[in-house]
């Protein structure tokens, strides 16, 4: 069922939490709301409820369990097709790379394991709210291998006429750095990093940071891990 907050600050990140285990859902809600800048405006216990809650409440972010009885992962496409402005973070116990690849291909902005601490979860929510994508660092390398295999040699047909700065930013991205870390490494602002990444994504015809990282590792196979 939906528990709605009547008023929230303009700066508050508004989220909906959907998980079919009430005890875990309660703990997750308490964890993400602990600092006051993230407000849970609705909660539910099924993937079907997730679609209704997003439609009714228009949250910034949906935290969605991947493996409910009616399969949260199967509903990602429905949510994003109807409400493309909503960012989805999958919350799951599964570290299976195929599940992560499927989630990213469906359009989720984050994939978080259920053992994640409260402070880390809040940081991930804030990161995703800025438009970035989060994947656990310890599975990124394995995930890139799976997606490379799925793509085959199609990457070779993609344009790679990148500027020097776009190449530098893309290489830093492929080593697992976020925008702030890339900016610090290259001595530029986060805004400049976002500008160059946007241009690089357009030239490479990729949809997100993961796909861009795959291309980068193909283009520069000797990048540091």
């Amino acid at each position: 069922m939906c528990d709605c907050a009547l008023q929230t600050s303009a700066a508050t990140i508004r989220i909906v939490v959907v998980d079919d285990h009430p005890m875990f859902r309660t703990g997750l809600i308490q964890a993400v709301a602990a600092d006051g800048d993230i407000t849970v405006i609705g909660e539910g216990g099924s993937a079907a409820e997730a679609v209704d809650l997003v439609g009714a409440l228009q949250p910034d972010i949906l935290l969605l369990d991947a493996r409910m009885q009616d399969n949260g992962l199967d509903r990602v496409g429905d949510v994003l097709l109807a409400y493309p402005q909503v960012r989805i973070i999958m919350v799951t116990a599964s570290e299976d790379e195929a599940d992560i690849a499927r989630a990213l291909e469906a359009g989720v902005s984050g994939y978080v394991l259920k053992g994640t601490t409260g402070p880390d979860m809040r940081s991930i929510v804030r990161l995703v709210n800025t438009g970035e994508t989060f994947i656990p660092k310890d599975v990124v390398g394995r995930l890139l291998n799976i997606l490379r295999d799925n793509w085959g040699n199609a990457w070779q047909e993609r344009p790679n006429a990148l500027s020097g700065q776009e190449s530098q930013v893309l290489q830093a991205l492929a080593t697992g750095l976020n925008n702030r870390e890339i900016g610090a490494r290259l001595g530029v602002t986060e805004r400049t990093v976002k500008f160059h990444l946007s241009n690089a994504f357009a030239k490479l015809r990729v949809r997100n940071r993961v796909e861009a990282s795959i291309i980068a590792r193909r283009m520069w196979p000797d990048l540091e891990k």
Side-chain angles (χ1 to χ4, degrees), residues 7 12 20 30 49 54 68-69 84 86 96 110 124 127 181 183 185 188 201 217:
Q7 295 182 343
T12 297
D20 60 356
Q30 293 174 346
E49 275 189 279
V54 170
M68 293 179 285
Q69 287 188 347
V86 176
D96 185 84
I124 292 165
L127 178 71
E181 293 167 334
R185 173 181 286 190
V188 299
F201 286 10
R217 288 197 176 276

Side-chain angles (χ1 to χ4, degrees), residues 30 64 90 121 164 191:
Q30 293 174 346
L64 179 64
M90 303 302 300
M121 181 66 76
R191 183 174 181 179

Side-chain angles (χ1 to χ4, degrees), residues 7-55:
Q7 295 182 343
T8 60
S9 166
T12 297
I13 302 171
R14 304 165 67 254
I15 71 172
V16 164
V17 178
V18 177
D19 190 288
D20 60 356
H21 292 90
M23 185 175 296
F24 176 81
R25 186 171 73 241
T26 297
L28 179 58
I29 289 171
Q30 293 174 346
V32 297
D35 291 340
D37 62 328
I38 301 169
T39 299
V40 178
I41 59 172
E43 62 176 289
S46 70
E49 275 189 279
V51 180
D52 294 337
L53 285 164
V54 170

Side-chain angles (χ1 to χ4, degrees), residues 195-221:
F195 173 76
H196 290 312
L197 283 178
S198 178
N199 287 341
F201 286 10
K203 290 179 180 180
L204 296 174
R205 289 183 285 161
V206 297
R207 298 169 297 178
N208 55 51
R209 299 168 73 87
V210 175
E211 292 181 358
S213 293
I214 295 170
I215 297 292
R217 288 197 176 276
R218 287 278 186 158
M219 294 170 67
W220 300 287

Side-chain angles (χ1 to χ4, degrees), residues 28-218:
L28 179 58
I29 289 171
Q30 293 174 346
V32 297
D35 291 340
D37 62 328
I38 301 169
T39 299
V40 178
I41 59 172
E43 62 176 289
S46 70
E49 275 189 279
V51 180
D52 294 337
L53 285 164
V54 170
L57 301 175
Q58 301 289 307
D60 301 307
I61 292 175
L62 168 65
L63 296 185
L64 179 64
D65 183 10
R67 292 194 169 185
M68 293 179 285
Q69 287 188 347
D70 55 345
N71 201 326
L73 192 50
D74 286 345
R75 292 291 184 148
V76 170
D78 295 337
V79 172
L80 292 179
L81 180 63
Y83 313 104
Q85 77 282 3
V86 176
R87 297 183 175 97
I88 298 177
I89 299 175
M90 303 302 300
V91 183
T92 179
S94 173
E95 297 186 52
D96 185 84
E97 295 92 340
D99 283 349
I100 303 173
R102 184 181 168 208
L104 290 168
E105 288 169 355
V108 305
S109 297
Y111 193 96
V112 182
L113 299 178
K114 287 191 173 181
T116 301
T117 66
D120 284 346
M121 181 66 76
R122 294 191 293 276
S123 295
I124 292 165
V125 168
R126 295 180 188 116
L127 178 71
V128 168
N129 193 57
T130 68
E132 297 204 38
T133 301
F134 176 83
I135 312 167
K137 287 187 176 181
D138 60 342
V139 300
V140 168
R142 289 175 289 162
L143 175 61
L144 293 178
N145 288 334
I146 286 179
L147 294 182
R148 270 199 295 258
D149 292 341
N150 289 345
W151 279 9
N153 294 320
W155 71 277
Q156 294 176 317
E157 302 173 359
R158 297 169 185 243
N160 59 4
L162 302 175
S163 71
Q165 289 178 311
E166 289 162 0
S167 295
Q168 287 183 318
V169 170
L170 193 60
Q171 288 177 53
L173 170 70
T175 65
L177 301 183
N178 61 37
N179 287 358
R180 178 182 55 79
E181 293 167 334
I182 294 171
R185 173 181 286 190
L186 301 180
V188 299
T189 66
E190 286 189 60
R191 183 174 181 179
T192 298
V193 171
K194 290 179 181 179
F195 173 76
H196 290 312
L197 283 178
S198 178
N199 287 341
F201 286 10
K203 290 179 180 180
L204 296 174
R205 289 183 285 161
V206 297
R207 298 169 297 178
N208 55 51
R209 299 168 73 87
V210 175
E211 292 181 358
S213 293
I214 295 170
I215 297 292
R217 288 197 176 276
R218 287 278 186 158

